[in-house]
Amino acid sequence: MSKDVKVFALSTCIHCKHCKEFLDERGQEYECVYVDKLTGDERKQVIDEIKKVNPTLSFPTVIVNQKVIVGFDKAEITQALEE
Amino acid sequence: MDAKQLFNMLGPIQAKKGYQFNPDTSMTMDLMEMLLVNKERYGHMACPCRLASGNYEMDKDIVCPCAYREPDVAEYGSCFCGLYVDQRWIDGTIPHQVVPERRPPEKVLAGLGLE
């Protein structure tokens, strides 16, 4: 079954880049939000959203369905995608 | 300055301090590019893997090499973004794992004026 994947990323972050490449290679669709490109209320709102699932506010923060993976942890992301 | 020049400038300085660039040259050069992007947009080379504010005083702890590099390399063999690693990491005698964020989130929020 297809998974709902969201990646909170920074446009300059190498782990975010690798994470996106990994998802692309798998043919996995995802929504990517570049938090460093946001400003004002939109940025605040997204940061609040990330804080709820990853209090360390680090990138990438990946959400596969409801599962949260902090950082580009290939094994955890793979597991979440294949569950 | 371009990425290659930054690489050539930083390498010897950091090697003297006992830090080596990640041997994955493509990754290291990408990080050089991203440091230059941050230099351009913030005025300082904030860690590309962290959300910077653009306020130097607030970002001081994440200006590369960041204040967390030393404890991160000591514990994980690699800094948070993976630019600097030690010999154990290169030799594979220490596992390559995701380095957890050591920077307190309060600092991110304070920098952005969200607290």
Side-chain angles (χ1 to χ4, degrees):
Chain A
M1 209 171 74
S2 90
K3 304 274 184 185
D4 185 23
V5 179
K6 192 165 185 176
V7 181
F8 291 105
L10 300 176
S11 64
T12 53
C13 165
I14 192 77
H15 303 305
C16 303
K17 182 185 172 197
H18 291 164
C19 182
K20 291 180 68 206
E21 285 169 355
F22 173 71
L23 293 170
D24 288 339
E25 278 162 20
R26 287 183 60 106
Q28 174 65 51
E29 288 187 6
Y30 56 91
E31 181 193 351
C32 175
V33 180
Y34 283 130
V35 182
D36 59 320
K37 300 274 193 194
L38 304 177
T39 53
D41 285 349
E42 198 182 4
R43 181 168 70 180
K44 184 181 183 313
Q45 202 181 326
V46 169
I47 287 173
D48 282 344
E49 199 183 328
I50 300 169
K51 209 162 55 167
K52 279 185 203 143
V53 296
N54 172 17
T56 66
L57 272 177
S58 60
F59 299 92
T61 297
V62 183
I63 306 176
V64 178
N65 285 0
Q66 260 83 53
K67 188 168 180 186
V68 179
I69 297 118
V70 174
F72 176 40
D73 188 322
K74 213 186 280 189
E76 271 201 51
I77 294 171
T78 303
Q79 196 187 352
L81 290 172
E82 291 174 0
E83 254 169 18
Chain B
M1 186 185 299
D2 65 18
K4 186 86 189 151
Q5 288 169 322
L6 183 62
F7 178 92
N8 289 335
M9 186 187 88
L10 290 177
I13 299 170
Q14 298 304 327
K16 274 187 200 151
K17 297 181 182 176
Y19 295 99
Q20 304 178 56
F21 281 141
N22 193 312
D24 178 344
T25 316
S26 142
M27 173 168 164
T28 296
M29 292 314 288
D30 274 353
L31 283 164
M32 292 293 122
E33 296 275 2
M34 294 307 154
L35 282 170
L36 292 171
V37 167
N38 278 354
K39 172 85 177 158
E40 181 70 27
R41 68 175 169 172
Y42 298 131
H44 48 265
M45 289 193 211
C47 174
C49 300
R50 290 177 163 117
L51 186 55
S53 70
N55 176 325
Y56 178 77
E57 280 306 310
M58 294 295 204
D59 289 345
K60 217 160 44 176
D61 61 319
I62 54 165
V63 171
C64 187
C66 70
Y68 311 99
R69 177 180 70 167
E70 189 179 340
D72 282 343
V73 172
E75 187 169 352
Y76 304 104
S78 165
C79 70
F80 179 72
C81 74
L83 177 61
Y84 290 108
V85 295
D86 68 8
Q87 199 57 45
R88 298 169 303 163
W89 195 93
I90 292 171
D91 294 340
T93 56
I94 191 166
H96 292 189
Q97 66 165 88
V98 172
V99 175
E101 175 59 295
R102 205 181 280 272
R103 187 185 200 213
E106 295 74 28
K107 283 192 174 254
V108 184
L109 296 171
L112 300 174
L114 295 177
E115 247 189 358

